[in-house]
């Protein structure tokens, strides 16, 4: 490619990166809980606690060595237990920019920072696609599909997660590795060093990087076996693997969290050592493989790495054992698997896969057609050698299987799918019609990402037919904000709060309350503490009060999900049993707070109640919201003494009321007042409304009367 072509390609890549940034930020600000004037409550779960650390760095306060507020009273050893590279990079970038241009809204900066970092995957993709295809137009067209794809960016919308920061580093590392494996690249050693350096930074930034490295080692092992008779390719591969192992080992020694878990002796590194030895001594492959297998087996008993991340490996095994479906009986899963098998660690539903990969998946049609009808034609491996396409194809197969296990891998699968699609025979690469077809797919993906919930989006209708019903009741964002505002006034640094681990991160970040639980499960201690909390919540009040006193909680935030969520992945399931005892602490908190002996109700809304720990009730409590009215749940006690509640019926009526209320508001905006009023009345018949919604309907009724008169 001449200099003019390079400039044009660079300009187009810049446009694609800018388009991806725009689309991602557009989706961020379109979320229903986004408030342009305040950041309170926007980030949740892990994103919230990571946002807090970045804010501490940005304000110059620094991250404490022992953060007791994030896990009261024992604290988190932040240097040893957390990877804080992203938070420090975000905070220091904010501080540097403020030296030249004062900035005000840190949340806006974080959203832009994440979007810009994510967009760095676009040039990395182009570099790989160009190496595989040797066709700049096709590489640009496939880069457009990836850059504008919903699958490539959906996981990062509304979040501040390591994926946005570290995944571009991993993909850039892969791009340099592919360049180093290209037989026509003269500076391949420089590219190999760059691949290793970026991999080392990624390992220090995100715990997932070790699992990607394991996949990469397996892909390189398969590639080495395929190319074992090509001495030049084997020699180059040997050097590249050596550099990767050396850089990963250096990261394991220099990075405190990796050093804490003895990463250099982890199963991932043992794979790397075994692969390197097999490449150096190709005639000793069998004994090396057996020795590596024995070392891996031994490490399962001795490795400190497994104490920190064994829960992830264990969850993978549980998923395979149960066919990717959570069993009806939670006791069939380990405690760690029950805690982890939720959110981004769930297996993707068919409806999600359809929405994410249609029309994106059609990018593979030319390659499949070439394989079926190519009459013996083969891709142009002679131009760059067999190593680059073999590595990409092997990783694609690995991530196809991995995405079936956890949907968090979706962006990497989209990246590899688009890259592998460019490996075509010369006759196909010379076809003038192929790049325009790919650009058409990019336009369709961009339209879907621009308006994913549009009624004109045909993919939405198709995927909806395959989408399962939502089984988790969820909590209202308005209720979360109301709770945060109440804690700001009535909590404080001397009143530690006990709440579920997902909510706790928001209470710590936005209300400034020390919390007992937090969602970063890398340290085994927090997983054990969380399970202890869940078990005591569904035991009697004395056990739960003992837990609160053991860890110094002065306030307890009860969530209605603790009773209403009976689905796999909910708190009752995670505790290990779905049956409720009539005198369980959760039952008393929800339905009979006046019978409690050591907790006083201080505040409630439709989703949460706040109790003072160690105080007796002030008197009989009258529930302000019908969700706390036991009679609405048709209670009964079965022969085994368990409390039976019609939770499914209540949840269905509440959901129907919410949907019908939304319909009423839409009809009112369209000027169809009588239909809107009828919808309001239907919603109220399904479930008693909040006072604000009742006032909405009354104002509409008065307006209709006035217009009629």
């Amino acid at each position: 490619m001449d200099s003019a072509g390079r400039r044009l390609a660079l300009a187009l890549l810049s446009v694609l990166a800018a388009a991806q940034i725009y689309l991602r930020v557009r989706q961020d600000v379109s979320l229903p809980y986004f408030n342009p004037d305040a950041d309170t409550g926007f980030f949740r779960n892990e994103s919230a606690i990571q946002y807090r650390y970045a804010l501490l760095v940005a304000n110059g306060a620094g991250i404490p060595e022992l953060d007791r507020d994030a896990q009261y009273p024992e604290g988190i050893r932040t240097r040893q237990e957390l990877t804080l590279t992203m938070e420090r990079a975000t905070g220091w970038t904010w501080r540097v920019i403020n030296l030249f241009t004062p900035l005000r809204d840190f949340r806006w900066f974080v959203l832009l920072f994440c979007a810009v970092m994510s967009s760095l995957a676009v040039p990395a993709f182009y570099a790989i696609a160009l190496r595989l295809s040797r066709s700049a137009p096709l590489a640009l067209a496939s880069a457009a599909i990836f850059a504008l794809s919903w699958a490539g960016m959906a996981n990062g919308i509304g979040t501040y997660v390591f994926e946005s920061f570290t995944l571009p580093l991993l993909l850039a590392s892969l791009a340099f590795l592919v360049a180093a494996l290209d037989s026509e690249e003269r500076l391949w050693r420089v590219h190999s060093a760059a691949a290793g350096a970026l991999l080392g930074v990624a390992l220090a930034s995100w715990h997932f990087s070790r699992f990607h490295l394991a996949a990469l080692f397996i892909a390189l092992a398969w590639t080495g076996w395929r190319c074992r008779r090509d001495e030049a390719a084997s020699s180059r591969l040997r050097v590249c693997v050596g550099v990767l192992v050396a850089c990963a080992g250096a990261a394991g020694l220099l990075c405190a969290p990796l050093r804490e878990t003895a990463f250099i002796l982890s199963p991932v590194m043992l794979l790397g050592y075994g692969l390197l030895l097999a490449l150096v001594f190709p005639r000793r492959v069998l004994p090396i493989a057996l020795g590596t297998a024995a070392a891996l087996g031994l490490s399962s008993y001795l490795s400190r790495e497994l104490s920190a991340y064994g829960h992830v490996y264990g969850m993978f095994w549980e998923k395979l054992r149960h066919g990717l479906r959570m069993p009806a009986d939670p006791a069939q899963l380990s405690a760690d698997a029950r805690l982890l098998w939720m959110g981004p660690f769930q297996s993707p539903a068919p409806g999600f896969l359809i929405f994410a990969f249609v029309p994106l998946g059609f990018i593979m049609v030319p390659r499949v057609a070439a394989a079926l009808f190519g009459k013996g034609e083969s891709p142009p491996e002679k131009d760059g050698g067999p190593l680059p396409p073999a590595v990409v194809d092997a990783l694609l197969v690995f991530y196809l299987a991995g995405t079936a296990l956890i949907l968090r891998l979706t962006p990497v699968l989209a990246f590899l799918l688009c890259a592998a699609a460019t490996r075509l025979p010369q006759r196909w690469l010379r076809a003038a019609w192929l790049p325009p077809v790919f650009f058409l797919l990019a336009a369709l993906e961009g339209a879907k990402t621009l308006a994913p919930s549009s009624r004109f989006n045909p993919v939405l209708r198709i995927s909806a037919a395959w989408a399962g019903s939502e089984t988790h009741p969820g909590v209202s964002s308005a209720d979360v904000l109301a709770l945060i505002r109440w804690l700001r006034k009535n909590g404080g640094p001397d009143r530690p709060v006990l709440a579920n681990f997902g909510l706790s991160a928001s209470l710590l970040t936005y209300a400034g309350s020390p919390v007992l639980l937090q969602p970063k499960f890398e340290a085994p201690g927090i997983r054990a503490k969380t399970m202890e909390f869940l078990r005591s919540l569904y035991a009697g009040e004395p056990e739960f009060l003992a837990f609160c006193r053991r860890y110094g909680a002065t306030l307890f935030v009860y969530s209605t999900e603790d009773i209403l969520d009976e689905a796999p992945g909910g708190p009752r399931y995670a505790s290990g049993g779905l049956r409720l005892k009539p005198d369980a602490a959760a039952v008393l908190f929800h339905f009979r707070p006046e019978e409690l002996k050591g907790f006083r109700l201080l505040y409630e809304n439709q989703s949460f109640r706040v109790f003072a720990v160690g105080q007796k009730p002030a008197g009989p409590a009258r529930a302000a919201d019908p969700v706390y009215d036991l009679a609405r749940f048709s209670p009964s006690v079965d022969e085994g003494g368990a409390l039976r509640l019609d939770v499914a019926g209540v949840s269905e009526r509440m959901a129907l009321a919410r949907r019908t209320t939304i319909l009423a508001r839409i009809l009112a905006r369209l000027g169809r007042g009588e239909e809107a009023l009828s919808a309001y009345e239907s919603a109220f018949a399904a479930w008693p409304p909040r006072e604000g919604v009742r006032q909405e309907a009354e104002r509409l009724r008065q307006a209709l009367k006035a217009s009629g008169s």
Side-chain angles (χ1 to χ4, degrees):
M1 187 188 301
D2 57 19
S3 59
R6 291 191 186 93
R7 288 195 295 271
L8 178 60
L10 181 61
L12 289 175
L13 288 174
S14 300
V15 170
L16 289 175
Q20 187 186 83
I21 293 170
Y22 167 76
L23 288 172
R24 174 162 167 168
V25 175
R26 175 187 170 90
Q27 295 304 322
D28 285 330
V29 302
S30 298
L31 293 171
Y33 52 86
F34 177 85
N35 183 348
D37 301 319
D39 73 337
T40 300
F42 180 76
F43 293 114
R44 302 176 179 191
N45 298 312
E46 283 188 275
S47 294
I49 199 167
Q50 286 153 195
Y51 179 72
R52 170 177 172 264
Y53 285 134
L55 189 59
L56 288 173
V57 175
N59 291 336
I63 299 172
E65 292 279 341
L66 182 65
D67 190 356
R68 296 188 183 278
D69 287 348
Q71 189 177 320
Y72 190 87
E74 66 273 18
I76 304 176
R77 297 178 301 148
T78 55
R79 286 180 59 85
Q80 290 79 19
E81 297 179 13
L82 305 180
T83 54
L84 297 167
T85 306
M86 178 185 72
E87 295 91 324
R88 290 195 170 101
T90 307
W92 277 104
T93 303
W94 163 274
R95 296 183 70 178
V96 169
I97 293 176
N98 270 275
L99 294 176
F100 305 96
T101 303
L103 302 175
R104 295 183 180 179
D105 192 329
F106 188 65
R107 178 197 51 181
W108 264 107
F109 174 77
V110 168
L111 294 177
L112 286 171
F113 181 86
C114 290
V116 171
M117 282 298 302
S118 294
S119 71
L120 298 180
V122 175
F125 175 89
Y126 174 75
I128 293 178
L130 187 60
R131 295 277 176 180
L132 295 179
S133 68
R134 294 299 197 268
S135 170
L138 188 64
L140 283 169
S142 56
I145 298 176
F146 169 71
L148 304 179
S149 68
W150 175 260
M153 69 180 77
N155 285 1
I157 293 172
T159 64
Y160 177 54
V161 290
F162 297 136
E163 179 181 303
S164 299
F165 180 83
T166 308
L167 193 55
L169 300 179
L170 289 173
L171 298 177
S173 173
L174 179 61
F176 279 112
L177 177 62
V178 168
L181 296 175
D182 191 329
S183 61
E184 294 188 350
E185 178 57 59
R186 291 181 298 175
L187 299 176
W188 64 275
R189 288 183 176 84
V190 176
H191 286 86
S192 179
L198 287 172
L199 177 66
V201 176
L203 286 168
S205 306
W206 187 20
H207 62 82
F208 166 76
S209 301
R210 70 197 67 218
F211 301 105
H212 172 80
L213 181 58
L216 185 59
F217 281 149
I218 295 172
L220 290 170
W222 182 79
T223 301
W225 177 256
R226 282 196 60 195
C227 306
R228 62 190 180 280
R229 301 186 188 281
D230 187 333
E231 181 55 36
S234 297
S235 176
R236 185 171 290 220
L237 180 62
R238 185 161 52 244
V239 173
C240 290
V241 170
V243 171
L244 291 178
V245 170
C247 290
L253 294 173
L254 296 174
C255 177
L258 297 177
R259 193 169 58 247
E260 176 74 10
T261 58
F263 175 72
I264 59 172
L265 299 177
S266 68
V268 175
M269 290 301 293
L270 291 177
L271 277 176
Y273 301 147
L275 173 59
L276 183 58
L277 287 173
L279 291 171
V280 173
F281 304 104
R283 296 185 180 181
R284 301 287 187 270
V285 169
L286 182 58
I288 291 172
L290 293 175
T292 302
L296 287 171
L298 185 62
S299 72
S300 65
Y301 294 97
L302 303 178
S303 175
R304 279 185 284 161
E305 170 86 0
L306 287 180
S307 69
Y309 301 103
H311 62 296
V312 180
Y313 296 107
M315 184 199 65
F316 290 160
W317 167 246
E318 294 282 10
K319 285 197 167 197
L320 294 173
R321 191 165 68 93
H322 293 283
L324 306 183
R325 296 176 63 88
M326 301 183 81
D329 181 7
Q332 295 183 26
L333 293 178
S334 66
D336 284 344
R338 295 197 302 269
L339 286 177
L340 196 62
W341 195 337
M342 60 180 67
F345 286 97
Q346 290 179 327
S347 297
F352 171 84
L353 292 176
I354 291 172
F355 191 84
F357 291 101
V358 175
L360 175 65
F362 288 106
I363 194 175
M364 286 294 288
V365 170
R367 180 168 177 183
V368 173
L372 295 176
F373 311 109
K375 297 181 180 180
E377 295 183 40
S378 59
E381 292 182 352
K382 60 182 177 62
D383 291 342
L387 296 179
V391 170
V392 172
D393 284 351
L395 282 174
L396 174 61
V397 172
F398 195 92
Y399 273 96
L400 275 169
T403 303
L405 290 174
I406 55 175
L407 62 83
R408 169 164 272 177
L409 303 184
T410 303
V412 189
L413 178 58
F415 183 97
L416 294 169
L417 196 68
C418 293
T422 63
R423 187 187 172 220
L424 294 166
Q426 287 286 7
R427 182 169 64 89
W428 290 74
L429 293 173
R430 289 194 296 265
W433 55 268
L434 192 54
V437 169
F438 275 23
F439 275 118
L440 175 61
L441 285 177
L444 294 174
E445 273 294 319
K448 182 179 74 175
T449 306
L450 183 67
S453 57
S454 170
R455 62 190 179 93
F456 299 108
N457 182 358
V459 182
L460 181 63
R461 297 185 180 183
I462 298 172
S463 62
W466 290 86
S469 58
E470 177 56 55
T471 55
H472 299 286
V475 296
S476 163
S477 296
D479 289 341
V480 174
L481 292 177
L483 172 63
I484 290 172
R485 287 193 292 267
W486 186 89
L487 278 175
R488 280 178 174 174
K489 293 180 180 178
N490 301 279
D494 57 341
R495 304 194 77 182
V497 175
L498 173 60
N500 69 63
F501 63 86
L503 177 64
S504 290
S506 295
L507 303 184
L508 169 67
T509 300
Y510 298 109
S513 297
V515 294
L516 275 67
L517 304 177
Q518 49 89 9
K520 299 179 78 66
F521 281 170
E522 287 82 358
I526 187 58
R527 301 197 299 272
K529 187 178 181 181
T530 301
M531 186 53 60
E532 185 184 356
F533 158 72
L534 288 171
R535 287 171 177 158
S536 63
L537 178 63
Y538 296 104
E541 182 192 358
E543 292 88 343
F544 190 75
L545 182 59
F547 176 88
C548 292
R549 286 176 169 164
R550 184 178 308 119
Y551 294 105
T554 60
L555 295 174
F556 167 57
V557 177
Y558 168 80
S559 172
T560 56
E561 289 180 305
D562 296 333
I563 289 292
L564 299 184
D565 194 345
E566 297 180 312
R572 288 171 62 179
Y573 188 95
S575 71
L578 295 171
R579 292 166 61 87
L580 287 173
K581 299 177 181 178
D583 60 345
V587 173
L588 298 181
F589 288 130
H590 195 110
F591 297 114
R592 306 197 301 272
E594 69 279 358
E595 296 181 16
L596 293 163
K597 306 299 183 184
F599 296 88
R600 174 181 292 183
L601 179 62
L602 302 179
Y603 168 81
E604 76 172 26
N605 58 38
Q606 192 178 58
S607 301
F608 304 105
R609 277 178 160 171
V610 181
F611 294 87
V613 178
Q615 298 183 24
K616 294 183 179 180
R622 179 181 178 276
D625 194 282
V627 74
Y628 300 110
D629 184 355
L630 180 60
R632 295 183 181 274
F633 288 79
S634 305
S636 64
V637 178
D638 64 18
E639 295 179 356
L643 177 64
R644 290 183 174 273
L645 301 171
D646 183 21
V647 171
V650 168
S651 298
E652 184 178 348
R653 294 195 297 275
M654 293 175 68
L656 175 61
R658 285 193 296 269
R659 292 195 301 269
T660 313
T661 299
I662 293 172
L663 175 63
R665 289 167 176 165
I666 294 173
L667 291 171
R669 289 172 187 160
L670 294 176
R672 297 159 63 177
E674 293 292 344
E675 294 176 68
L677 189 59
S678 177
Y680 273 120
E681 291 171 351
S682 297
F684 299 167
W687 189 258
R690 298 187 182 192
E691 184 58 31
V693 178
R694 190 186 300 278
Q695 291 176 3
E696 285 179 21
E698 185 59 32
R699 287 194 295 268
L700 177 60
R701 182 178 287 106
Q702 296 300 325
L704 290 175
K705 287 183 179 180
S707 62
S709 61

